[in-house]
Amino acid sequence: MKKIIACLLAATAIVSTAALAGCKSGQNPVTTTTQVAATTDKTEIELPSMELSGYRIIISDKASAEIKKAANEMKSILKQYLSLEIRVANDYVYADNPVDPAAKEILVGTTNRQESLDAQSKLAEVGGDKYLIGSTDNKIVIYGANDKAILFGMRAFLNEFVSKSTETGAIPMPVGVSEIKDYDADMEINEYLVTIDIISKSTVQSLKPDGGSTWPTYGRIMQLKHNGENNGTLFATGQWAGKNFPIYRSTDDGKTWELISTVEETMYKKLLANWQPHIYELPCKVGEMPEGTLLLAGCSHDSSTERTTRMCIWRSYDLGLTWEEFTIVDEGNGIGDGMYEPFLICDDDGTLVCFYSDETEVSDKGGQRLVFRTSKDGVTWGDLQYCVAPSDTSLRPGMVTVTKVGDYGYVLAYEMIGQERGPVYCKFSKSLTDWGNVKSYGTQIKTADAFTGCTPYIEWTPRGGKYGTLIAAGRFGELKRGRGSDLFISFDLGKTWQSFENPLPYDYYEDSSANYAYSFGFFTGSDGDIYYINNCFPDNEANKYKYADLKVAKIRITRVGED
């Protein structure tokens, strides 16, 4: 099991969207300099490594239950993250056993140690609702104006220092400097440790150069949940130039894959079915189709791609071995006046909804829109409805994906072509068929210093915290040469996001014509683990940039105390 992030703290922002977060990756160098505030002055300071081995967490003998609980949580985090057994003790001192001034201690809150008293004096001088983090040669001090400020200080210490530890457990902690910061009194703080583990990786298909069919795109993956003894079986598909939709199956949780069928155009023989597939398992009966029926939505088009596009759906009653094309959701002209990128999902009442990008109104209204149609039987489809339709008709929202977020509703993500780097936005709704003001873009998926853009996908897992975890990404990311987009996660229903390094890396700068990571997919399995499928570098370094493999990584997000 490979940990790509061993520690990620989250605060659930109920009123404020501010949050602090940290991450660790064995492939990232440890920062050796930082901006550290000594009261109000900022000075660049070289950060020596501080080993936490032998330290104890010290709290006041009269500490509140909340601080005691947080101290024990910190102990668990340090054990999981640094593999250190660090005890929690109170500051009570017996007359015949005075405090050893050389003792290694992490002082939390109002203890009787001199360093805590000094911190209290410093905060009193500055005033306001603040917290302080400081250190000496053998003491780390975390102090706050009140219990909530102390909790923020504990989180900041873990995020800003512990999460950036080296593989040996040393943290880049400044010695002899106090850092004083404000905290958000309106934020509901919900401290927990989250680990993000890469459980496995595999290659679904590797296609060497063959005259144009070298780049799999639109990778999609799905796990059976409504097929009895067959539950757990994985299916994957994608798009290859000039080829029909391939259906791959894995019965060993993605370790090995086999091609079991190919989905072709049968209703319109002059069309080719090979654009933007989406595979889906019915979670309930829809019309005459029983629960567990497999559906594949895709776009068929004429050979020139200039005349016809049809949004088609196929179904399989034998777990993907054979397929029947049975319905057309919509149809349009060719590229520039057609439709693309279907996404299927069922509403709670069993209504099948097909989302897609629609450009058929360009001639009279201009612009591309994100639309959907609904069906009670999967055969006949209702009127076209919008979910995103910008007033600026030069913009082209596209590649919509949607996920159900527990009992909180639904969220869709999409790219906004026409804005720089095609930023990814998400919109929330309590209803799958009512997205409010269609002129509204929603909120952009980004952190303070990173963002994601183009060909996005979004998914939700109940694992990771009170609100579960949203995971999203697009093809382009932090604009750093040598890496594509990070993956982004949110523990507070999309109010704030943190990023972590992509487990299936690629580099979109080396060859701008290469379609690495051109639309990938996520899928939450029955155990809450996330399957991530992407078209990226082949395992053979000699063939890097020559072709792409369709790969799968299994990601596990775990909160301390979660099974």
Side-chain angles (χ1 to χ4, degrees):
M1 182 184 297
K2 178 185 177 185
K3 286 183 185 293
I4 60 170
I5 292 185
C7 180
L8 188 60
L9 277 293
T12 304
I14 301 301
V15 178
S16 171
T17 59
L20 294 170
C23 63
K24 174 183 178 182
S25 168
Q27 298 180 357
N28 287 340
V30 175
T31 302
T32 56
T33 61
T34 189
Q35 295 290 323
V36 180
T39 61
T40 57
D41 295 329
K42 292 188 176 182
T43 308
E44 190 175 80
I45 297 173
E46 188 74 16
L47 299 185
S49 293
M50 177 180 285
E51 299 281 351
L52 294 188
S53 178
Y55 274 74
R56 293 190 306 166
I57 298 172
I58 303 296
I59 60 176
S60 170
D61 183 42
K62 299 178 181 179
S64 68
E66 192 173 21
I67 295 298
K68 290 177 180 177
K69 178 182 177 182
N72 281 294
E73 205 167 57
M74 178 183 281
K75 169 188 171 181
S76 298
I77 290 172
L78 293 174
K79 181 178 180 180
Q80 289 200 17
Y81 195 68
L82 302 179
S83 300
L84 294 177
E85 293 287 350
I86 294 181
R87 229 169 27 95
V88 176
N90 64 49
D91 63 352
Y92 188 84
V93 178
Y94 292 94
D96 59 350
N97 186 24
V99 175
D100 178 3
K104 297 179 177 181
E105 296 174 333
I106 302 173
L107 307 176
V108 175
T110 310
T111 76
N112 59 12
R113 306 301 200 253
Q114 185 59 49
E115 290 81 1
S116 295
L117 298 175
D118 292 342
Q120 185 177 19
S121 296
K122 285 185 178 181
L123 279 190
E125 291 174 6
V126 176
D129 292 332
K130 301 180 185 297
Y131 66 83
L132 176 149
I133 301 175
S135 66
T136 66
D137 288 336
N138 62 318
K139 296 286 192 295
I140 295 172
V141 184
I142 302 171
Y143 186 81
N146 50 48
D147 276 3
K148 195 166 187 180
I150 294 169
L151 292 175
F152 269 83
M154 295 172 74
R155 187 186 67 190
F157 167 68
L158 293 167
N159 280 322
E160 295 173 17
F161 301 111
V162 174
S163 69
K164 297 174 184 175
S165 67
T166 65
E167 294 300 314
T168 62
I171 65 171
M173 184 74 187
V175 175
V177 176
S178 297
E179 184 177 38
I180 297 176
K181 290 186 177 180
D182 293 313
Y183 80 97
D184 189 340
D186 292 326
M187 180 180 286
E188 177 185 314
I189 192 163
N190 181 16
E191 295 294 344
Y192 47 83
L193 167 72
V194 173
T195 62
I196 301 179
D197 299 325
I198 302 304
I199 304 302
S200 61
K201 292 183 183 181
S202 64
T203 298
V204 178
Q205 180 60 279
S206 179
L207 295 180
K208 294 184 178 181
D210 60 359
S213 300
T214 59
W215 302 105
T217 57
Y218 290 92
R220 298 292 183 260
I221 190 166
M222 180 269 292
Q223 182 194 58
L224 293 183
K225 298 181 182 180
H226 305 277
N227 270 278
E229 63 182 12
N230 294 297
N231 285 347
T233 300
L234 295 173
F235 290 86
T237 188
Q239 172 182 315
W240 277 271
K243 298 179 180 292
N244 295 115
F245 301 123
I247 304 298
Y248 298 94
R249 180 180 65 192
S250 174
T251 56
D252 56 7
D253 200 34
K255 294 181 179 66
T256 60
W257 295 84
E258 62 174 332
L259 178 65
I260 62 168
S261 60
T262 301
V263 179
E264 301 178 352
E265 177 63 64
T266 56
M267 295 178 71
Y268 300 93
K269 291 292 188 179
K270 293 183 179 181
L271 300 183
L272 177 65
N274 77 338
W275 273 2
Q276 309 120 17
H278 181 245
I279 192 166
Y280 183 66
E281 179 191 28
L282 286 181
C284 57
K285 185 176 184 293
V286 176
E288 297 180 355
M289 297 182 290
E291 175 185 351
T293 301
L294 299 191
L295 302 181
L296 182 82
C299 190
S300 296
H301 58 90
D302 67 280
S303 58
S304 70
T305 73
E306 295 177 355
R307 297 186 301 275
T308 304
T309 51
R310 284 195 173 97
M311 199 63 64
C312 310
I313 302 180
W314 294 257
R315 62 189 171 194
S316 174
Y317 294 121
D318 56 7
L319 301 181
L321 295 178
T322 61
W323 295 84
E324 171 198 9
E325 187 176 8
F326 72 99
T327 185
I328 304 298
V329 179
D330 204 350
E331 58 185 314
N333 296 321
I335 288 181
D337 195 17
M339 56 196 57
Y340 328 96
E341 302 145 356
F343 185 95
L344 298 175
I345 185 172
C346 271
D347 205 343
D348 289 336
D349 66 358
T351 299
L352 183 62
V353 185
C354 183
F355 290 86
Y356 53 101
S357 304
D358 185 278
E359 211 172 12
T360 59
E361 295 178 325
V362 167
S363 59
D364 58 338
K365 295 183 180 179
Q368 181 169 284
R369 294 165 174 80
L370 298 184
V371 303
F372 63 92
R373 293 180 187 268
T374 64
S375 176
K376 291 291 187 181
D377 59 8
V379 178
T380 57
W381 295 86
D383 294 336
L384 187 75
Q385 301 181 64
Y386 300 129
C387 45
V388 180
S391 299
D392 183 351
T393 56
S394 68
L395 298 178
R396 300 180 68 249
M399 293 192 172
V400 60
T401 60
V402 184
T403 186
K404 190 174 190 300
V405 187
D407 296 327
Y408 301 103
Y410 300 88
V411 57
L412 64 77
Y414 66 97
E415 65 183 7
M416 187 66 85
I417 301 302
Q419 294 181 343
E420 185 177 2
R421 284 288 172 182
V424 175
Y425 292 88
C426 61
K427 289 186 71 170
F428 288 79
S429 174
K430 287 290 186 181
S431 168
L432 190 58
T433 55
D434 182 0
W435 294 93
N437 181 4
V438 299
K439 304 298 182 184
S440 170
Y441 300 170
T443 58
Q444 188 179 348
I445 297 177
K446 63 179 181 178
T447 67
D449 58 359
F451 73 100
T452 189
C454 294
T455 75
Y457 207 100
I458 195 164
E459 181 64 289
W460 180 82
T461 173
R463 300 182 67 87
K466 177 179 178 181
Y467 302 106
T469 305
L470 282 169
I471 182 168
R475 186 185 181 202
F476 299 132
E478 296 179 276
L479 306 184
K480 293 180 180 177
R481 185 179 181 84
R483 57 191 286 194
S485 178
D486 285 354
L487 304 187
F488 286 67
I489 52 177
S490 173
F491 302 109
D492 55 12
L493 302 179
K495 293 181 177 67
T496 60
W497 294 86
Q498 292 99 43
S499 64
F500 66 95
E501 191 168 343
N502 198 316
L504 299 176
Y506 56 93
D507 179 0
Y508 55 82
Y509 279 98
E510 292 293 339
D511 182 353
S512 60
S513 67
N515 282 330
Y516 293 119
Y518 193 90
S519 187
F520 42 76
F522 296 110
F523 188 87
T524 301
S526 55
D527 58 1
D529 289 347
I530 295 172
Y531 295 93
Y532 166 45
I533 187 168
N534 198 359
N535 49 303
C536 50
F537 293 147
D539 292 330
N540 186 341
E541 280 290 316
N543 290 315
K544 195 174 181 180
Y545 310 122
K546 294 180 181 178
Y547 64 95
D549 285 348
L550 191 61
K551 293 184 179 182
V552 170
K554 186 176 182 180
I555 301 172
R556 178 168 298 161
I557 298 174
T558 308
R559 178 170 58 92
V560 168
E562 257 185 346
D563 295 330

